Amino acid sequence: MTVNVDSYKYLSGFGNHFSSEALEGALPQGQNTPQKCPYGLYAEQLSGTAFTVDRQHNQRSWLYRIRPSVGHSPYVFYKRLHPDFASSEMRYIPNQLRWSPFPLPADDNPVDFLDGLVTIAGAGDPTVRNGLAIHIYTCNKSMEKRAMYNSDGDFLIVPQTGRLDITTEFGKMLVEPLEIVVIPRGIKFSVRLPQTHARGYILEVFGNHFELPDLGPIGANGLANPRDFLTPEAAFEDKGEAWQMYNKYAGQFFAAIQDHSPFNVVAWHGNYVPYTYDLRKFNAVNSVTFDHMDPSIFTVLTSKSAFPGTAIADFVIFPPRWAVQEHTFRPPYFHRNCMAEFMGLITGEYEAKAKGFLPGGASLMTPHGPDATTFEKASNEKLVPTRVADNTMAFMFESSLMLGTTQWALSTEVLQNDYEQVWNGLKSHFRTNK
């Protein structure tokens, strides 16, 4: 089904085999690689999994383009985005960490999406296809005649402020705060800014692609519904202009030059595609009797590990909803977790922190829980059906891996050096007579 959003055209569904043509008849009929493709196009397959992966999980798309991707100059080193996560440049420390909003570039310092990427944390190794990285982007300039792709993994991009006008090989997407976009490994894209600046978060996974979580006893419906995911319809450029192409490869960016637009795909078909999702459409479930359910019930997407029930990374949100539990401490409980939890705030005020956790900031947690102010309020308030998190959207990147922190993240001026003091007011309420 075609969906129109702000003049952008999309196909709806998750994991579908789509077909899309910018020119009628551009897709070959009955085969993928005819001796001569319609309109004189080149046939190029983009594989997201090995050829021999079982059909249920096999991902690939066929692109029919004006010029093939092999036409470019040799790649040369441009910059390093993140170090080897096992190196001495990373710090693995058990402290709770929190950052105030990451600063936007000054008006007299133009920075585009590519140059505005900074790594906060990570684990694993993209060269062995296992692990993840967490990045922040801040920018005030569009990518002009510059495009990029990621050979290391999939990008899940969470805009916090400012819309992103994203051109991909598959078509165009417009993404705003409270929406996300996933650009799988190898897909070329470029980011324009419809507004003066933008900031957001990125979860990058090196292993399995993102998929919808299993619903188990929840049943056939709920959480993120497949029909609400949108993939762009085909659109192409046919311009003989010089473009700079950037490839993230083993944590480093390499640059090449080509004499044509990378977005010259006239038609495509397949199930390996970029997509966007509106977080406001998430169908939340929760307890209607007692106790606070585990936050896994708010999982939007997951990248599974080799161990059943354990993720390399989960993307979890905390959307507006009702709280109706009886005789229950309703905010998130105090918790020590074998998983690593990185949290960000898109907008509003997070329910477990009265102050200090701000939109555009972040936290990386070991033991965690509500601060003293929130605890006292929630322990004594009247328990009636209550709206929670209205005009708020917090999220979590959760991983089974131990996350190391970059030197930049530990030295930036927005690191809150007194974060642990939010729990200093938690006094003892113990008494021998219950």
Side-chain angles (χ1 to χ4, degrees), residues 72-133:
H72 57 75
S73 68
Y75 278 97
V76 296
F77 177 78
Y78 179 65
K79 71 171 184 177
R80 187 175 67 169
L81 180 59
H82 58 76
D84 180 343
F85 291 129
S87 74
S88 60
E89 296 180 59
M90 298 294 294
R91 294 289 305 280
Y92 286 82
I93 54 178
N95 294 332
Q96 301 99 333
L97 301 172
R98 188 165 71 180
W99 295 267
S100 297
F102 296 95
L104 294 161
D107 292 342
D108 60 354
N109 178 30
V111 177
D112 66 14
F113 179 88
L114 169 64
D115 290 334
L117 289 172
V118 177
T119 304
I120 300 296
D125 186 344
T127 67
V128 297
R129 296 284 189 256
N130 186 50
L132 74 158

Side-chain angles (χ1 to χ4, degrees), residues 286-305:
N286 209 338
S287 171
V288 294
T289 53
F290 59 88
D291 281 354
H292 189 290
M293 303 296 288
D294 295 329
S296 51
I297 61 172
F298 299 125
T299 301
V300 180
L301 292 168
T302 184
S303 173
K304 294 180 178 179
S305 74

